[in-house]
Amino acid sequence: MSGANLLRGEAELCIGERVFVLRPSFAALVAAEAELGPLLALVERAADAQLALGELVSLFWHCVKERPDALTREAVGEAVVEQGLAAVTPALRVLLGQILQGR
């Protein structure tokens, strides 16, 4: 699955051999906020280079569009570590921008 719609604030994340769309829908952001706390504080931590790896993975996890049952949060985390923070920062930037700007 691929084909992120930038107009909807979507991004892509490669996990294993597949590319997944990260979509910051209302439901996804509510779930992320329930786990991570207020989203504005999350954005502020990211801006201050204080965003923890677990927080980044949790945000990605909640935003995976059409998440298959076989995909685990651990796989998302391993994909982030394998690719490195520099490689996943563009996706994070898109999601954080969407949180701040909305649609």
Side-chain angles (χ1 to χ4, degrees), residues 11-67:
E12 293 183 347
L13 179 66
C14 183
I15 304 172
E17 300 292 320
R18 296 180 61 189
V19 175
F20 290 89
V21 172
L22 302 177
R23 181 168 186 226
S25 67
F26 176 75
L29 294 178
V30 167
E33 189 172 53
E35 180 178 338
L36 301 170
L39 294 178
L40 186 55
L42 181 82
V43 172
E44 289 174 347
R45 286 194 300 279
D48 292 337
Q50 298 298 313
L51 188 66
L53 179 61
E55 293 176 311
L56 181 144
V57 170
S58 292
L59 179 62
F60 284 0
W61 170 255
H62 289 293
C63 290
V64 173
K65 181 180 172 184
E66 300 174 7
R67 186 172 58 223

